[in-house]
Amino acid sequence: AGTDISFQFPNVLAPDDLATSYGRLLFRARRARVQNAVKAIFWRQGEAEAFFRYPGYDGYAPRFEVLYQAWKRDYPGARRIYVFQN
């Protein structure tokens, strides 16, 4: 199993913080000047919540919302988000 969803969260004070997975992607998108050209986001994740005791799947929806709102803010051109849950 991989990481839980919180590993993907942005740093609230510095979304392009290179110490985070989210920040590394955002930093690269900004440097390549494609941040506003992103049309869709493909999200595949969930095995950690299915297999591990904490935080578990029951708290997934509100945690996904945190990530979803960050995407909407940082990738304003993304009109579709495709979710593939494990």
Side-chain angles (χ1 to χ4, degrees):
T3 61
D4 74 55
I5 192 171
S6 63
F7 180 78
Q8 308 300 328
F9 286 176
N11 176 336
V12 189
L13 300 176
D16 58 356
D17 179 1
L18 294 176
T20 67
S21 177
Y22 186 96
R24 287 188 294 276
L25 179 62
L26 181 59
F27 175 82
R28 291 176 181 137
R30 286 179 174 170
R31 289 287 289 212
R33 298 183 185 189
V34 298
Q35 175 187 4
N36 295 324
V38 171
K39 303 284 186 223
I41 295 171
F42 293 84
W43 174 250
R44 180 186 171 271
Q45 195 271 337
E47 66 275 7
E49 285 77 12
F51 293 113
F52 298 133
R53 172 178 52 83
Y54 178 76
Y57 62 86
D58 53 341
Y60 193 84
R63 295 169 63 192
F64 181 81
E65 183 67 21
V66 170
L67 192 55
Y68 177 77
Q69 292 304 321
W71 287 333
K72 285 177 50 178
R73 178 191 66 232
D74 295 325
Y75 300 97
R79 297 290 176 241
R80 301 265 192 250
I81 297 175
Y82 298 94
V83 177
F84 302 90
Q85 279 307 114
N86 295 337

